[in-house]
Amino acid sequence: MRTTSVKIIITVLFITSFIQVNGQQFSHCNVYQFLKNDSINKKIAQRIEYNPEGQITKESYNSFWIDASNRRVDGTHNYHYKDTLLQMKTFDSAEDMTDNTKTIYSHNKNHQLTKEEKYSFERILKKGVRGCVVSEDDYEKKRKWVKTHSIKYTYDKNGNKILYEETIDKDRHTWDYDTKNRITKFSRYKEKKNPLSTHIYTYSDHGHQVVFQWASDSIPTRIDTLYKDDKNRIVKEINTGGKSGKIIRTIETSYNPYGKISRRTVYNIDREAEVTHIYEYLP
């Protein structure tokens, strides 16, 4: 995902759906998003549409800010299904055609995702063109879909994802689980036998903690602590610097009576609100 830096922006998020929650059907949802404490100025930043089964069919972004320094590329994701299984997802950028992507999905008889093939919409040099300096005339008139990633997934007998293999870049991810089928370790590899980085998961009655660490570093880079309510919903996430031990970010989430997210706020290291999302579900 490409992001863009910003000094200060105020935006709004809009969602449309046919989704049902606890018997209550909502046709759409307005989610207001703003930075800091300025909730008066609002603009639509995202629109999500669902099919009658509640599956996402389209997501459109327009100046959607993840936090005070990261913005999603403007454009639209389109989702295509067959028998409720996702077959293809495309992204049409409103900024640069180079950001256009396409992903093809394959599943096994258990409806588990087994393969992803990712493509980018790239400019192609004409035959015979060489050198570091090229001009517009050196490219073919039409762009082409070029495969950039091919990913295979493997599962254990309990249906847990245990292996991710990228056959082009040679990336490999592994997952370990406890007897309750909860993730205990996530590791990333790059051709070598030893992992580049690991995420270690530990659990408590109130949530879980994730410790991220690079293999080359003896001290964890970051520690994420997630707190859950009595309905097993994440209500707070605290990100702590592994070396400094200081809280670098806090995310607080609340829910409406139907169990859907109603508010989400991201706070910075000084406990100042950076981004707030307010969700308003409408029939």
Side-chain angles (χ1 to χ4, degrees):
M1 176 184 68
R2 186 163 69 89
T3 59
T4 305
S5 297
V6 64
K7 292 182 179 179
I8 181 167
I9 287 283
I10 303 169
T11 59
V12 127
L13 172 65
F14 179 85
I15 297 178
T16 299
S17 75
F18 295 99
I19 195 168
Q20 287 194 14
V21 182
N22 291 345
Q24 176 68 45
Q25 182 170 342
F26 300 100
S27 62
H28 62 279
C29 174
N30 297 322
V31 183
Y32 300 91
Q33 177 184 342
F34 54 89
L35 294 187
K36 296 188 176 180
N37 297 312
D38 190 353
S39 60
I40 297 177
N41 298 310
K42 300 172 181 177
K43 297 178 182 179
I44 294 175
Q46 184 183 15
R47 178 183 177 90
I48 302 178
E49 299 178 5
Y50 293 79
N51 61 23
E53 287 74 33
Q55 297 170 310
I56 296 174
T57 58
K58 181 181 290 188
E59 289 181 288
S60 299
Y61 296 99
N62 182 20
S63 296
F64 176 73
W65 295 89
I66 300 169
D67 54 33
S69 59
N70 295 287
R71 179 178 67 82
R72 292 187 182 275
V73 176
D74 289 351
T76 301
H77 288 283
N78 287 285
Y79 299 77
H80 305 271
Y81 300 87
K82 182 180 180 181
D83 298 329
T84 71
L85 293 178
L86 181 63
Q87 303 295 306
M88 181 173 69
K89 181 176 72 173
T90 61
F91 178 71
D92 298 318
S93 174
E95 300 181 23
D96 189 339
M97 292 179 66
T98 304
D99 294 321
N100 289 4
T101 60
K102 177 174 64 174
T103 305
I104 307 296
Y105 301 91
S106 299
H107 303 80
N108 60 22
K109 62 181 181 181
N110 296 321
H111 293 178
Q112 295 169 318
L113 177 64
T114 56
K115 189 175 183 179
E116 289 183 59
E117 292 184 311
K118 299 185 178 184
Y119 299 81
S120 63
F121 201 46
E122 298 183 3
R123 303 176 70 188
I124 305 299
L125 285 172
K126 295 179 180 178
K127 292 183 179 180
V129 175
R130 293 181 175 84
C132 298
V133 180
V134 295
S135 66
E136 290 294 320
D137 294 333
D138 293 325
Y139 290 95
E140 298 285 351
K141 291 183 178 180
K142 294 184 178 180
R143 291 173 179 263
K144 294 182 179 180
W145 288 110
V146 177
K147 185 185 292 187
T148 57
H149 300 282
S150 182
I151 303 164
K152 293 182 179 180
Y153 295 96
T154 303
Y155 301 82
D156 64 16
K157 63 181 181 180
N158 295 319
N160 298 315
K161 185 189 302 180
I162 58 173
L163 180 61
Y164 160 116
E165 295 177 288
E166 208 292 317
T167 58
I168 296 178
D169 291 339
K170 306 301 180 183
D171 287 336
R172 184 164 57 92
H173 304 166
T174 63
W175 290 264
D176 296 330
Y177 299 83
D178 61 15
T179 55
K180 296 181 180 180
N181 293 316
R182 300 178 303 188
I183 297 174
T184 57
K185 186 177 182 180
F186 168 74
S187 304
R188 298 184 60 185
Y189 299 79
K190 186 72 172 181
E191 295 183 340
K192 298 180 180 180
K193 294 182 178 180
N194 296 322
L196 290 175
S197 63
T198 58
H199 292 72
I200 303 298
Y201 293 72
T202 56
Y203 298 86
S204 69
D205 293 337
H206 306 291
H208 67 273
Q209 188 175 82
V210 185
V211 178
F212 170 78
Q213 184 168 345
W214 291 102
S216 58
D217 201 336
S218 60
I219 301 175
T221 303
R222 196 178 80 180
I223 300 173
D224 297 341
T225 305
L226 294 87
Y227 297 91
K228 296 183 178 181
D229 61 12
D230 56 0
K231 296 183 179 179
N232 203 37
R233 303 174 301 196
I234 294 175
V235 293
K236 179 182 288 189
E237 176 180 339
I238 297 177
N239 306 142
T240 306
K243 296 181 180 180
S244 66
K246 295 181 178 179
I247 295 176
I248 56 179
R249 187 175 71 165
T250 301
I251 304 172
E252 295 182 353
T253 306
S254 55
Y255 301 83
N256 64 20
Y258 302 107
K260 298 292 291 181
I261 294 176
S262 59
R263 187 183 183 95
R264 180 179 182 273
T265 302
V266 179
Y267 298 90
N268 62 21
I269 192 171
D270 296 317
R271 188 57 188 179
E272 298 170 336
E274 284 190 341
V275 180
T276 296
H277 297 182
I278 298 176
Y279 298 71
E280 181 186 19
Y281 298 88
L282 302 173

